[in-house]
Amino acid sequence: MLYCILLSAVSAFNHFWFMTFSTGLSLSEQVHQTPADMFKQPGGEAKISCFHTIPSYNRILWYKQTNGELQFLGYMNINTGYPENGAGLKIEGNANTDQNCTLTIEGLTLSSSAVYFCAASLHSATYH
């Protein structure tokens, strides 16, 4: 029997905060993620890229959504990735404006089928 894993990717501002902005330019137009979806076989790996065009934002957060539940996967702060422990993930690249941040999901299983998305945020040294 052949199983395929479907991974979908959407930017967080498009998916969750679209209705938040009533006037002006929506941040959803400034966070981009590729590819939109992919099919992979179990055991392989999947790479999803995210970039934003929001001046001074320097953090990318990654999430996985299955059955309406949200799971935080980790984040990239400027150019250092911080994946959650034991998640089988790599977060690489750069979270600054107009740079690519890549989430790599290793050792795909059927439970890897989900919607994955990124969000851009501002990291401030005044909070941790």
Side-chain angles (χ1 to χ4, degrees):
M1 184 176 287
L2 177 65
Y3 292 99
C4 285
I5 297 167
L6 171 63
L7 298 99
S8 296
V10 294
S11 64
F13 291 110
N14 273 338
H15 192 67
F16 284 100
W17 296 285
F18 181 73
M19 300 302 289
T20 303
F21 305 96
S22 57
T23 60
L25 180 64
S26 168
L27 288 179
S28 67
E29 297 172 11
Q30 298 180 56
V31 180
H32 308 278
Q33 198 168 322
T34 57
D37 52 48
M38 68 179 79
F39 292 93
K40 295 287 185 176
Q41 293 194 4
E45 72 175 25
K47 291 182 181 278
I48 304 169
S49 293
C50 180
F51 78 95
H52 67 88
T53 57
I54 306 168
S56 74
Y57 275 36
N58 55 7
R59 179 180 278 182
I60 297 286
L61 301 103
W62 288 98
Y63 297 90
K64 174 183 178 180
Q65 183 179 19
T66 51
N67 300 322
E69 296 202 16
L70 198 59
Q71 177 186 357
F72 178 68
L73 299 177
Y75 67 97
M76 170 152 280
N77 187 45
I78 304 173
N79 61 1
T80 304
Y82 298 94
E84 289 290 283
N85 289 333
L89 305 169
K90 287 192 288 189
I91 300 174
E92 301 171 303
N94 194 306
N96 286 311
T97 305
D98 290 323
Q99 301 294 315
N100 274 320
C101 175
T102 302
L103 172 70
T104 302
I105 307 152
E106 302 172 321
L108 294 170
T109 65
L110 292 179
S111 66
S112 300
S113 292
V115 175
Y116 292 82
F117 63 92
C118 64
S121 78
L122 175 64
H123 173 261
S124 171
T126 60
Y127 71 89
H128 288 283

